[in-house]
Amino acid sequence: QATALDEVRAAADVAALDAVQSAFLGKKGQVQQVLRTIGKLDPKERGPVGRAANEAKQAIEGALEVRRSELLAAADANLAESEWVDATLPPPAGARASGRGGSIHPITALVRDMEDVFLSMGFETLDGPWVEDDHHNFGALNIPADHPARDMQDTYWLTDGNLLRTHTSPVQVRAMETREPPIRAVCLGRIFRNEELDATHENTFHQCEGFFVDRDVSVGHMIYVLESLLHEIIGPDVKVRLRPSYFPFVEPGFEMDVTFRGDWMELLGCGMVHPSVLEAGGIDPNEYSGFAFGMGIDRLVMVRHGVEDIRHLMSGDLRFLSQFT
Ligand code: FA5
């Protein structure tokens, strides 16, 4: 017993402790060997020897338990020290060149560049919640419950009656509720639609909402802002076309396409904010007018970098992402 207790106290780690445990308490351990000999002893000696062996067994078990929890606590305390990482350190020399360095995701990079351009044009940037209510995502945008335009966007409904926002337009509504014109703002953020996926359709993607409400705002202002942005982001040779289109929250409404791989790709919806949307936001449509647009950020990344399939962007595939280091 004395030897066992010394060895238990001396065990420097859990593996050493396991070895001590099996040497003394295992099937072929020393305590077991003593217990096995009891039957051969003089009957008078059997009782005291058995008791002594069992006491030794209990003492060793108790000591093992104490030492085990000491060792585990020490290992936990060491973990913070041994696994500490300084995430602010630059990558090791050569990591970037070999493609193993971290890099800014092309969507994040585009969002930052777009925000810079909009700030230079006097727009502020706003944020809105991903989980929206029916009123902000649909109702206040002139899309009542029975309106067929709800089918234009396949909605992920939550069990509590809320939804994952299907576009960034609810941020317009929130801004109008809390601000007075002039309002010049953009919101760049993530949105969700229960879509059939293909090369230009994701179910988790990003939009840039822009809106400008003031006196005498016209379609001309809108086209100027959109073209200026695309010149800055894609280059002076970017080719776009504007088509009439329908959204319940603008009148007139348009869509803008951009050339991509020898064809036109739809990039955004836009138009003059509908009078009833201004009214829902507490703004007098007789005094103020405004334009609004909702641009597909992921599609703009495709144009910017020549990405042929939108599904690469959110795939997390390092073979794709390492091209942007
Ligand atoms: C809208 O979402 C409107 N809220 C845009 C708007 C805002 C119109 C303000 C008028 C005024 P739409 O569903 O067409 O519209 O989407 C706008 C853009 O988002 C599209 O032109 C496209 O570039 C992008 N987009 C739409 N669906 C997807 C998708 N599944 N995957 C990737 N991009 C998409």
Side-chain angles (χ1 to χ4, degrees):
Q1 177 179 337
T3 316
L5 294 183
D6 284 347
E7 289 190 20
V8 166
R9 273 183 224 112
D13 54 35
V14 172
L17 196 65
D18 286 342
V20 177
Q21 177 163 3
S22 83
F24 288 93
L25 301 184
K27 270 191 198 143
K28 292 180 183 157
Q30 298 193 27
V31 175
Q32 203 57 42
Q33 285 173 23
V34 173
L35 290 172
R36 238 181 253 129
T37 59
I38 287 179
K40 297 177 192 141
L41 292 177
D42 183 294
K44 273 190 233 141
E45 286 183 325
R46 285 182 197 165
V49 171
R51 255 195 305 283
N54 274 320
E55 275 167 22
K57 188 177 170 206
Q58 278 168 17
I60 297 168
E61 277 172 351
L64 279 165
E65 201 175 312
V66 170
R67 186 65 189 143
R68 193 174 293 278
S69 56
E70 278 172 12
L71 288 172
L72 291 177
D76 270 354
N78 277 337
L79 204 63
E81 196 52 44
S82 63
E83 299 204 350
W84 183 77
V85 170
D86 184 352
T88 66
L89 285 176
R96 220 161 239 290
S98 67
R100 285 184 291 116
S103 60
I104 303 293
H105 193 282
I107 294 176
T108 308
L110 178 62
V111 164
R112 292 182 183 174
D113 291 346
M114 288 174 74
E115 284 177 345
D116 283 347
V117 176
F118 281 119
L119 288 175
S120 77
M121 290 198 275
F123 285 76
E124 61 178 319
T125 59
L126 300 178
D127 248 335
W130 288 358
V131 173
E132 265 296 3
D133 53 57
D134 191 293
H135 173 73
H136 287 94
N137 197 83
F138 292 124
L141 289 163
N142 225 4
I143 316 177
D146 53 352
H147 198 289
R150 289 200 176 207
D151 302 337
M152 288 161 70
Q153 301 177 354
D154 306 290
T155 308
Y156 288 113
W157 291 97
L158 305 179
T159 47
D160 63 3
N162 287 325
L163 51 93
L164 296 182
R165 68 179 180 189
T166 60
H167 50 178
T168 40
S169 297
V171 181
Q172 278 185 50
V173 178
R174 292 184 177 276
M176 285 191 273
E177 280 170 355
T178 52
R179 283 149 197 264
E180 297 293 322
I183 308 174
R184 253 188 270 185
V186 289
C187 166
L188 294 89
R190 184 168 290 189
I191 65 166
F192 310 86
R193 289 187 198 177
N194 193 359
E195 288 261 24
E196 290 275 345
L197 305 190
D198 62 28
T200 55
H201 291 85
E202 253 293 2
N203 53 19
T204 300
F205 58 106
H206 305 78
Q207 279 185 346
C208 169
E209 193 79 10
F211 45 101
F212 189 158
V213 182
D214 202 348
R215 294 194 169 84
D216 303 321
V217 176
S218 72
V219 172
H221 295 123
M222 180 183 80
I223 295 173
Y224 172 79
V225 166
L226 290 172
E227 288 191 342
S228 303
L229 174 86
L230 294 173
H231 281 188
E232 288 290 328
I233 296 292
I234 305 298
D237 301 332
V238 63
K239 289 208 171 35
V240 295
R241 71 174 181 194
L242 199 64
R243 295 179 281 109
S245 184
Y246 171 73
F247 299 93
F249 34 97
V250 289
E251 179 57 40
F254 308 91
E255 277 174 331
M256 188 177 269
D257 302 331
V258 61
T259 49
F260 180 62
R261 295 165 71 85
D263 206 351
W264 292 106
M265 176 169 67
E266 183 199 309
L267 182 64
L268 61 93
C270 59
M272 300 305 292
V273 181
H274 196 285
S276 24
V277 174
L278 289 173
E279 256 165 21
I283 294 173
D284 182 356
N286 296 313
E287 198 178 344
Y288 293 102
S289 55
F291 68 76
F293 59 85
M295 183 182 306
I297 293 178
D298 310 65
R299 290 196 185 169
L300 202 52
V301 173
M302 295 169 74
V303 175
R304 189 184 217 191
H305 296 290
V307 177
E308 80 291 356
D309 194 314
I310 197 170
R311 288 166 290 194
H312 291 310
L313 293 176
M314 299 292 283
S315 67
D317 189 332
L318 292 178
R319 292 169 304 174
F320 172 74
L321 291 173
S322 63
Q323 299 175 90
F324 298 91
T325 54

